[in-house]
Amino acid sequence: MERGEGLTRQTNTQNQLLMQQTASALKACGYQTHLLARNCFDIIARGPHTLLIKILTNANAFSNVYVHELQQICAYMHASPLIVAENAGAILNEGVIYSRLGVSVISLETLKMALKHRAPSMISTNAGIAIGIDGPKLKQLREAQGLSLQQLAFRLGVSRRMVARYETNFTEMTLPRAQRLLDLFGDQIFHKIDVFDHRHRDTKHVMHDTSSPLTTKYFQLGFHALNTQHAPFDILARRQTPEKHQEEPIKDIIFTAVGDRHKPGLHDMAKLFDAHSLYIFHRQRPSIHEEIPTLSQTEFMRFHQYGDLMDFLREF
């Protein structure tokens, strides 16, 4: 066996083990999960939050193309993207949030902490590990102890202006300095980071994809639609929502497979999201379960109203 093949096989085995351990941790906290492989995400988890998780031994192996598609899909589905990994050039520290091209990277142990509502406060920066400070809380506790800005600055070894800056913003602080604050005020002054919160995700990823006749047709029928290359479906469609209602639960998601071959797991994934699945074939109807709606491309293009398509899907 070539050395490269052996390393690849070892990495795949490690990824599989980490995937199973991650799924077990999620299930123990009430999440339903669906496991996939060789996509821009490996686990779909539905529970208190909707999570799309990529499992990697080395987070640095996650390419920009895969990251971008993961972010697009999450924006469409109001989901949070996560990378659960063992290292990112170095072993990941427990309780620390790292980043890969804008997606949070955490260890399995950090995920378990977050699932048990022990949100991490530490982040990895170019300057090393830092911790977020809750500025308004710091000001409240300083005043409660009768400390002036100058007195606290002296204890921290910084300027009065720096303390004022800490209290004005949510800012980051090196661990040695944060330890002094911990000794004075306890850990309540640290800003807890919710790695499951999708609301800060960049909404620019939700856009009209009219790069194919099928996504153009979806748009005409009243859907946002996204072509994918590294997902277990070929098109993700969701009902168009006015901007003021962006945070409301998404209605009428359609996971669409395009082509003449069966895509295993599509129907189960749709059930997990209370969504619809649809096969659109070109020449030959794929051999799939009868409960899954299937249309030729010509039949799909004949729909003219949103309601007509949804009535067809609800028959299954």
Side-chain angles (χ1 to χ4, degrees):
M1 180 187 298
E2 294 289 337
R3 182 172 182 272
E5 292 179 2
L7 289 174
T8 299
R9 183 170 298 178
Q10 180 182 3
T11 298
N12 290 339
T13 301
Q14 291 172 327
N15 285 352
Q16 286 292 328
L17 177 59
L18 184 56
M19 186 187 304
Q20 294 294 337
Q21 292 172 330
T22 301
S24 295
L26 290 161
K27 290 177 182 177
C29 293
Y31 281 82
Q32 293 178 285
T33 62
H34 184 71
L35 275 59
L36 304 150
R38 303 182 186 280
N39 295 283
C40 64
F41 54 92
D42 298 307
I43 298 177
I44 299 175
R46 191 88 187 273
H49 307 275
T50 300
L51 310 175
L52 300 187
I53 303 174
K54 183 64 183 177
I55 303 295
L56 291 163
T57 302
N58 181 2
N60 292 341
F62 203 31
S63 72
N64 183 62
V65 172
Y66 277 69
V67 168
H68 180 63
E69 185 159 303
L70 174 61
Q71 290 172 321
Q72 286 184 307
I73 293 170
C74 284
Y76 266 70
M77 297 176 64
H78 288 184
S80 293
L82 275 179
I83 300 171
V84 175
E86 293 181 351
N87 68 76
I91 297 297
L92 303 185
N93 290 307
E94 181 178 339
V96 179
I97 299 175
Y98 301 78
S99 179
R100 175 64 178 167
L101 301 172
V103 176
S104 295
V105 179
I106 57 177
S107 69
L108 175 59
E109 294 307 314
T110 303
L111 174 65
K112 291 178 180 178
M113 285 175 53
L115 289 170
K116 294 176 181 177
H117 307 290
R118 293 188 289 120
S121 299
M122 292 183 288
I123 60 173
S124 177
T125 70
N126 291 334
I129 305 299
I131 194 163
I133 302 299
D134 185 337
K137 190 68 175 180
L138 174 60
K139 181 178 181 180
Q140 176 189 342
L141 293 174
R142 174 183 62 77
E143 292 176 344
Q145 291 194 18
L147 293 173
S148 67
L149 284 172
Q150 188 61 50
Q151 288 171 324
L152 181 56
F154 178 77
R155 295 194 183 190
L156 294 179
V158 299
S159 67
R160 181 182 182 279
R161 178 178 295 180
M162 182 61 74
V163 173
R165 179 183 170 190
Y166 288 154
E167 294 185 348
T168 303
N169 305 297
F170 287 98
T171 190
E172 297 161 6
M173 183 180 289
T174 61
L175 293 186
R177 194 166 290 161
Q179 182 63 51
R180 298 172 199 165
L181 278 182
L182 177 65
D183 295 339
L184 285 169
F185 304 118
D187 65 359
Q188 57 187 316
I189 51 93
F190 297 143
H191 175 55
K192 304 299 189 291
I193 303 170
D194 184 358
V195 295
F196 304 138
D197 184 8
H198 73 83
R199 289 173 296 177
H200 68 283
R201 310 300 175 191
D202 195 343
T203 56
K204 73 181 181 184
H205 294 296
V206 180
M207 57 186 68
H208 306 308
D209 182 350
T210 54
S211 60
S212 74
L214 294 177
T215 53
T216 299
K217 186 63 179 181
Y218 263 125
F219 177 65
Q220 293 169 351
L221 291 171
F223 291 86
H224 295 294
L226 173 71
N227 282 305
T228 67
Q229 299 295 323
H230 309 288
F233 41 81
D234 298 300
I235 298 174
L236 173 61
R238 79 171 216 200
R239 186 176 183 179
Q240 293 177 19
T241 306
E243 187 172 347
K244 65 180 180 179
H245 300 305
Q246 286 294 312
E247 290 305 319
E248 294 182 1
I250 297 175
K251 298 179 180 178
D252 297 335
I253 293 177
I254 306 174
F255 296 112
T256 308
V258 180
D260 302 330
R261 299 180 64 181
H262 174 45
K263 287 209 168 188
L266 185 72
H267 184 56
D268 291 338
M269 183 173 58
K271 286 172 61 178
L272 183 63
F273 282 95
D274 299 321
H276 301 278
S277 57
L278 173 64
Y279 276 85
I280 300 177
F281 65 94
H282 298 305
R283 293 178 298 276
Q284 182 177 351
R285 188 179 300 270
S287 177
I288 57 175
H289 197 284
E290 292 181 355
E291 291 183 359
I292 301 178
T294 307
L295 293 167
S296 69
Q297 182 166 336
T298 301
E299 290 170 331
F300 177 75
M301 299 299 283
R302 287 177 184 155
F303 284 98
H304 295 292
Q305 300 290 333
Y306 162 85
D308 294 338
L309 175 60
M310 296 311 301
D311 287 344
F312 168 75
L313 294 175
R314 289 174 184 138
E315 292 177 1
F316 294 85

